[in-house]
Amino acid sequence: MSQPEAHPSHGSHSEPGFLRKYVFSIDHKIIGIQYGYTSLAFMLFGFFLMGIMRWQIAHPGEAVPLIGNFLQTVFKDAAINGVVSPDLYNMFGAMHGTIMVFLAVVPVLTGAFGNYLVPIQVGASDMAFPRLNMMSYQFYLFGGIVMLASFFIPGGPAQSGWTSYPPLSLIVPTDGQTYWLVGMVFIITSSLLGSVNIITTIVQLRAPGMTWLRLPFFIWTEFVAAFLLLLAFPPLEAAGLLQLVDKLTGSSMFLPTGLAVSGAAAHAAGGGSPILWQHLFWFLAHPEVYVLILPAMGIVAEIIANNIRKPLWGYKSMVYASLALGFLSVLVWAHHMYLTGMGTVIATFFQTTTMMVSVPSVIILTCLLISLWGGSIRFNTPMLFALTFLPMFAIGGLTGLPLGFSASDLHLHDTYYVIGHFHYVVAPGTIFAVFGGIYYWYPKMTGRFMNEFWGKVHFWGSLIFMNVIFMPMLSQGMAGMLRRMSDGGINYALSHTGAEGSLPNMIMEMNRVILWGAIGLAIVQIPFILNVFISMRKGVKVANDNPWDATTLEWQTETPPWVYNFRKEPVVHRGPYEYSVPGFSRDFTPQTEPDNVGAKH
């Protein structure tokens, strides 16, 4: 069950060189930091692509300021005079979605936070398979490099959306789709290796006394998310390989008989099914939403428990709800496919399961909200992000309900309403949890606090501008504005004034409001980036190894943690959230503290 005791003499080994320590490290903490920096860099790049797209939608036909010449140099005919063409818009849209989901948000939650925290919080010295862990990061990085390389090939990157639906993905005349498929195979393989490691570590390497219901809630969320990745990613990897075969050999796994392109018969054998791709894609992509949100809930739970100075209300209910959430999430994928013409019986099944999956989400949110009651709340930066996660995720969840019913989904499908809903789940939802987690565990990783003033500037700015961006999208979607239109629909609106489907000026003007929101959001990330790097040298030093007076095992290690985490194998005596326990002298009781140590005499 537990790992062999790490011997102190390990600390006297010679220091490894730079390559072994930082590039080919097998230390889960270094690999977690590698994942952290890489995924945040990808997130910044994905945000950059979104900024260019928002400029194009708000100012169609106008050159992109500052970087227009650069775009023309790289993308040539797709960016003549610095103007984003519809093709280039499609490229950026496809790569923005791919990068944000597969290279940024999922890796930062499972690769960065999962790698750094899972072994320490369960009391292990490392991951169960350290070399497999290193290989997981290298596969992820290589997959990301392949994706980025596609920006510089003739024809540019993939431009069929992050869903890569065939037949469009197979008939667009660019090799970017081939790069996309190869990159995805490496990224998926990386996730599978990481999932096996996380599950094995939690099952096999828990410290003595760390029973299942003494695990921090964050560990439970990583456990369920790893199972989801392990079960749902192989179908997409198989589908990606089949589409790659179609792309390279002219076979027809996903191309139907009788397909015509630009009025001419397509050169394909036919007999394939584009709908099969959609099934295989969404069988992963919907559980992927819970891979995003579950670890985020775990991070938020850790921050809230520590900053209310009382136990989480309904801890066991939250654990069982997370298991139910994982199980139900693999039964709802086809609610993305009502428009494919499925029968009423099948549609009713998926409507029912979609409504059911909202129940465990509500249970977890309710437990976190009730936990706040009567707490002695500390409103520091990580707590502000964690508290705001609750209403932001609630907006994302509630706006998803109309998309779960086929009757309303048929009208809202492929509109900006879907974009607004999904981004409320991921951006002010999940990414706020990521920011909160960085501020919360930064002192353990570096021995210094991040600057609190600039942290709050970052928080308030992000909260305001994220809502400026995504709230109008809900209105635009309900007014009928379709996504994937490079001009935001202005050409159609101007040429069909008053016609069915044309959009009023107020809805069109929202595109400029959203652009200014995106610019504001970019500006308020600058203090965060500077804060991360400057605080490493200038931040206030922590007074001890447990600066937040926390209870879980990562706060019982040195700061930063020793190479094998614990000088002596920890023994767990209690649950993860024993704050303000009556009869104890302090308002927190670490998991390693025996019953007779902290009690008043």
Side-chain angles (χ1 to χ4, degrees):
M1 182 177 79
S2 61
Q3 83 284 18
E5 185 173 328
H7 195 280
S9 63
H10 288 151
S12 61
H13 288 177
S14 59
E15 189 75 8
F18 178 85
L19 284 178
R20 188 176 171 193
K21 184 173 182 180
Y22 295 109
V23 180
F24 299 105
S25 174
I26 57 173
D27 183 342
H28 71 97
K29 298 180 292 295
I30 298 296
I31 295 172
I33 292 170
Q34 288 174 332
Y35 265 111
Y37 279 123
T38 310
S39 56
L40 290 175
F42 276 122
M43 188 179 294
L44 195 62
F45 182 62
F47 184 83
F48 171 73
L49 296 180
M50 183 273 284
I52 297 175
M53 292 165 65
R54 293 313 314 183
W55 170 267
Q56 163 62 21
I57 292 174
H59 299 278
E62 297 182 25
V64 180
L66 302 179
I67 60 169
N69 291 335
F70 172 75
L71 292 177
Q72 185 174 5
T73 301
V74 175
F75 298 104
K76 300 183 171 51
D77 292 345
I80 297 174
N81 297 325
V83 177
V84 176
S85 67
D87 283 347
L88 187 57
Y89 180 88
N90 287 338
M91 294 174 202
F92 284 3
M95 298 310 291
H96 167 76
T98 302
I99 287 170
M100 285 305 215
V101 173
F102 297 112
L103 290 170
V105 182
V106 170
V108 78
L109 288 165
T110 59
F113 284 100
N115 257 301
Y116 198 93
L117 292 173
V118 166
I120 306 183
Q121 284 199 335
V122 302
S125 59
D126 205 323
M127 283 286 193
F129 309 113
R131 285 177 173 76
L132 210 63
N133 204 21
M134 176 185 70
M135 189 184 300
S136 170
Y137 171 73
Q138 291 170 350
F139 273 42
Y140 157 71
L141 180 62
F142 185 75
I145 291 173
V146 170
M147 290 282 185
L148 293 181
S150 69
F151 281 85
F152 301 98
I153 64 171
Q159 47 183 296
S160 308
W162 76 287
T163 55
S164 276
Y165 281 173
L168 181 64
S169 58
L170 291 169
I171 63 176
V172 173
T174 171
D175 291 329
Q177 185 65 26
T178 304
Y179 279 67
W180 189 92
L181 292 165
V182 172
M184 283 300 295
V185 169
F186 278 97
I187 293 166
I188 293 171
T189 304
S190 159
S191 287
L192 296 179
L193 297 177
S195 300
V196 168
N197 231 338
I198 287 176
I199 292 170
T200 309
T201 302
I202 295 173
V203 172
Q204 293 290 334
L205 298 186
R206 285 174 286 126
M210 182 62 88
T211 60
W212 285 99
L213 289 178
R214 285 179 174 173
L215 289 172
F217 184 63
F218 174 75
I219 297 297
W220 277 106
T221 59
E222 287 284 342
F223 188 64
V224 176
F227 262 109
L228 287 178
L229 287 172
L230 202 58
L231 292 172
F233 247 145
L236 182 60
E237 186 159 30
L241 289 170
L242 291 178
Q243 191 180 125
L244 188 61
V245 172
D246 275 2
K247 186 76 179 171
L248 298 179
T249 70
S251 60
S252 301
M253 309 288 182
F254 300 112
L255 291 180
T257 301
L259 178 67
V261 179
S262 301
H267 296 288
S273 171
I275 302 298
L276 174 62
W277 169 269
Q278 294 195 30
H279 279 291
L280 295 172
F281 180 85
W282 287 113
F283 187 74
L284 168 275
H286 195 83
E288 183 91 343
V289 174
Y290 298 94
V291 172
L292 299 172
I293 205 65
L294 272 168
M297 288 175 167
I299 292 170
V300 167
E302 298 300 311
I303 297 172
I304 287 181
N306 176 257
N307 285 289
I308 59 176
R309 315 307 294 165
K310 63 193 279 283
L312 285 179
W313 189 91
Y315 164 77
K316 289 183 181 179
S317 299
M318 293 170 66
V319 170
Y320 298 139
S322 66
L323 294 172
L325 198 59
F327 174 73
L328 289 171
S329 70
V330 297
L331 300 177
V332 301
W333 78 93
H335 74 224
H336 295 272
M337 300 169 57
Y338 290 138
L339 277 179
T340 59
M342 67 177 66
T344 53
V345 175
I346 298 298
T348 302
F349 172 80
F350 283 107
Q351 288 176 89
T352 306
T353 54
T354 301
M355 293 304 109
M356 288 171 63
V357 79
S358 64
V359 174
S361 304
V362 171
I363 290 174
I364 294 174
L365 278 190
T366 304
C367 289
L368 292 173
L369 276 173
I370 295 177
S371 298
L372 300 176
W373 182 261
S376 180
I377 300 177
R378 301 188 299 204
F379 289 98
N380 49 36
T381 302
M383 186 60 169
L384 291 175
F385 277 109
L387 285 175
T388 309
F389 167 89
L390 303 179
M392 294 295 106
F393 176 70
I395 294 174
L398 289 172
T399 53
L401 294 179
L403 301 175
F405 292 104
S406 60
S408 45
D409 178 72
L410 294 180
H411 296 280
L412 295 170
H413 194 89
D414 256 348
T415 68
Y416 266 87
Y417 182 89
V418 180
I419 298 181
H421 149 69
F422 179 67
H423 282 80
Y424 261 105
V425 173
V426 175
T430 302
I431 293 179
F432 268 28
V434 169
F435 285 144
I438 292 172
Y439 283 101
Y440 182 64
W441 279 292
Y442 188 92
K444 172 54 63 179
M445 297 168 64
T446 66
R448 294 176 185 270
F449 289 99
M450 292 177 72
N451 184 282
E452 189 70 6
F453 171 78
W454 290 112
K456 289 180 177 173
V457 170
H458 175 221
F459 163 75
W460 286 110
S462 298
L463 176 62
I464 293 169
F465 290 119
M466 280 209 183
N467 282 283
V468 170
I469 294 172
F470 299 119
M471 189 63 76
M473 289 184 184
L474 298 173
S475 300
Q476 289 181 317
M478 286 189 283
M481 179 179 284
L482 296 175
R483 62 198 299 193
R484 303 193 179 101
M485 297 176 72
S486 62
D487 63 356
I490 191 167
N491 284 329
Y492 184 87
L494 290 175
S495 60
H496 296 77
T497 305
E500 187 73 22
S502 65
L503 298 170
N505 287 337
M506 184 185 74
I507 295 297
M508 299 303 298
E509 284 300 317
M510 287 181 182
N511 286 328
R512 299 196 179 212
V513 175
I514 294 172
L515 171 64
W516 282 109
I519 293 171
L521 185 61
I523 291 173
V524 297
Q525 303 314 303
I526 295 173
F528 168 69
I529 296 170
L530 294 176
N531 204 351
V532 167
F533 291 104
I534 293 176
S535 295
M536 289 180 189
R537 292 185 176 276
K538 304 288 186 181
V540 176
K541 288 184 178 179
V542 297
N544 54 58
D545 293 327
N546 188 5
W548 300 116
D549 291 340
T551 55
T552 44
L553 292 186
E554 75 271 28
W555 302 104
Q556 313 311 314
T557 64
E558 298 171 18
T559 302
W562 185 50
V563 61
Y564 297 107
N565 297 337
F566 303 93
R567 296 281 177 179
K568 182 180 179 182
E569 186 178 47
V571 178
V572 175
H573 297 275
R574 59 191 68 251
Y577 307 116
E578 297 207 4
Y579 289 99
S580 304
V581 178
F584 279 70
S585 56
R586 298 176 301 183
D587 70 346
F588 69 101
T589 310
Q591 285 189 283
T592 53
E593 190 165 300
D595 286 339
N596 59 350
V597 172
K600 293 177 181 176
H601 297 286

